[in-house]
Amino acid sequence: MARLRARGGWRVVRPLTILSVAYPFAAVREDTAGGAEQILLQLDRAIIDAGHRSIVVAAHGSAVAGELMETPPLPAPVEDSVRAMAHANMAAAIESARRRFLVDIIHLHGIDFHAYLPRAGVPVLITLHLPLAWYACAALIPRRPQTWLHCVSHTQARAAPPGIPLLPVIENGVDADSFPAGARKRNFALFLGRICAEKGVHIAIDAAARARVPLLIAGEVFPYPEHTRYFKSEIATRLNRACRFIGRVGTKPKRWLLAGARCVLIPSLVEETSSLVAREALAAGTPVIGFRRGALLDVVGNGRTGFLVETVDEMAARILEADRIDGNLCREEARGRFPLHVTTDKYLRLYERLVRAPLRAAG
């Protein structure tokens, strides 16, 4: 039997078979630089720990705790023909999983979920990990029965246009106890995430250079033409001994990098919907310095757990003031506000509720 956390202890529930479907262009593994992929990994483990069955449809090269249905490798770069191939692969894998297993609920994580939304007959939950403006308009009002959407932060949900049916927010959580305690701070700033223009990696380079503080850039360049052009023209040409690109990193090295950094820079040029990196940085006892926008307004306590800034020069100045921030306070904030078990418990309860929900349209 499966278990579900409840007030006063655990409640025994019928084991569910949960099919999680990842974004088709990012492998789901510990070193993937993507919040959606990391959340899927957390849920995959939590599903199994609770006594349920976890099946994951994900890109070639993925590594999960549950049963992996790996889609075929895709050629690069990611152009329209490759997207069409990827969507067809995902649709076929979902249908194959439904034929092979008695799937109780399907959980979609990709921004392009509408291109492989499964046929009716099984409840579908869609987590909107990215800014709502990035999704196709029709995708946000699905006509498929038993289809539900939700956001990962209240900031993101408040930006939703009228008429979009949303379930209550489930915020992303972090396991604060998994980060090394008492790690010695070193004199470097850290950027961690996808290497693309909207993440503002070039701004992090500018700010660190003006502060004369070394910068480590950890993350992944996905094979989109615009991402590779950006890396070659805006990042690679500026790498040197004081500004190093170390690529994607696994879970343990990431935790030590976050714990050892002077600060973590999040100079996003788009509205952050949750910023798992910011939450992980605080859990590691490291202040966050980011632009005053999106969910960072909810995550970072300005002057308490980091700084919210408006310009590159202000970011550079705050890098030099990062040692004013109490790392213990950062950890306490993360532990109290973003506990991982609350996130996973909410998803497990939601899975059970949607499986038992009567057949109805999303709207």
Side-chain angles (χ1 to χ4, degrees):
M1 299 299 290
R3 299 184 306 158
L4 188 65
R5 198 189 304 263
R7 290 183 181 178
W10 294 87
R11 178 164 61 87
V12 176
V13 297
R14 177 178 72 84
L16 300 177
T17 297
I18 298 153
L19 176 64
S20 299
V21 181
Y23 180 55
F25 300 103
V28 176
R29 58 183 180 231
E30 290 185 346
D31 61 356
T32 298
E37 288 71 37
Q38 296 305 311
I39 294 299
L40 195 158
L41 276 177
Q42 292 171 353
L43 287 173
D44 172 50
R45 296 188 191 101
I47 289 166
I48 294 170
D49 289 345
H52 300 293
R53 186 177 192 179
S54 176
I55 302 165
V56 179
V57 171
H60 176 77
S62 296
V64 301
E67 300 167 63
L68 175 63
M69 297 190 66
E70 194 176 50
T71 56
L74 294 167
V78 178
E79 297 176 333
D80 288 346
S81 61
V82 177
R83 286 189 178 89
M85 183 187 309
H87 295 160
N89 290 343
M90 297 301 278
I94 293 169
E95 187 60 29
S96 175
R98 292 184 64 177
R99 288 195 304 267
R100 290 173 56 189
F101 310 105
L102 188 61
V103 174
D104 290 293
I105 187 167
I106 300 172
H107 189 173
L108 302 175
H109 292 267
I111 187 174
D112 51 359
F113 69 86
H114 60 285
Y116 42 86
L117 192 64
R119 58 183 171 82
V122 175
V124 166
L125 174 65
I126 299 158
T127 297
L128 303 169
H129 291 278
L130 297 171
L132 299 186
W134 292 13
Y135 292 87
C137 293
L140 297 178
I141 310 179
R143 302 182 65 181
R144 180 190 183 278
Q146 294 181 286
T147 305
W148 292 268
L149 302 89
H150 81 99
C151 292
V152 294
S153 72
H154 295 284
T155 299
Q156 181 195 26
R158 286 193 294 268
I164 295 179
L166 293 174
L167 294 176
V169 167
I170 300 180
E171 294 204 55
N172 293 335
V174 294
D175 181 6
D177 293 331
S178 68
F179 290 86
R184 183 167 68 90
K185 290 294 182 186
R186 300 179 181 275
N187 189 35
F188 68 90
L190 176 67
F191 174 92
L192 175 65
R194 289 183 291 114
I195 310 301
C196 54
E198 62 262 24
K199 289 295 185 180
V201 190
H202 58 291
I203 297 172
I205 295 175
D206 288 340
R210 293 181 195 187
R212 297 187 179 181
V213 169
L215 176 69
L216 292 183
I217 303 170
E220 187 169 358
V221 184
F222 287 96
Y224 300 101
E226 60 272 24
H227 289 199
T228 54
R229 282 195 300 267
Y230 172 74
F231 179 77
K232 290 176 182 177
S233 63
E234 301 291 336
I235 308 303
T237 57
R238 303 181 62 188
L239 298 177
N240 52 48
R241 292 180 64 183
C243 178
R244 295 171 52 205
F245 174 64
I246 59 176
R248 64 189 188 212
V249 291
T251 299
K252 185 175 287 188
K254 178 180 73 172
R255 289 171 180 163
W256 281 102
L257 281 170
L258 286 167
R262 177 186 186 89
C263 57
V264 170
L265 305 182
I266 304 183
S268 295
L269 299 176
V270 297
E271 303 295 312
E272 287 286 335
T273 55
S274 171
S275 189
L276 187 63
V277 169
R279 295 165 190 245
E280 290 177 327
L282 298 185
T286 299
V288 173
I289 305 175
F291 284 149
R292 192 186 305 273
R293 63 191 312 162
L296 288 180
L297 292 165
D298 296 333
V299 176
V300 180
N302 192 30
R304 294 180 67 253
T305 59
F307 300 103
L308 297 173
V309 302
E310 302 283 356
T311 66
V312 177
D313 286 337
E314 192 179 355
M315 181 172 284
R318 295 304 193 185
I319 291 173
L320 298 176
E321 298 178 16
D323 54 4
R324 289 172 36 196
I325 301 298
D326 183 349
N328 289 326
L329 177 61
C330 293
R331 280 188 285 270
E332 290 170 9
E333 284 274 305
R335 183 172 286 106
R337 295 181 57 205
F338 321 123
L340 177 59
H341 73 85
V342 171
T343 297
T344 55
D345 287 352
K346 284 184 177 180
Y347 274 110
L348 291 171
R349 286 196 295 270
L350 182 57
Y351 292 150
E352 187 189 16
R353 182 163 66 86
L354 296 184
V355 168
R356 291 187 289 104
L359 183 66
R360 66 173 179 85

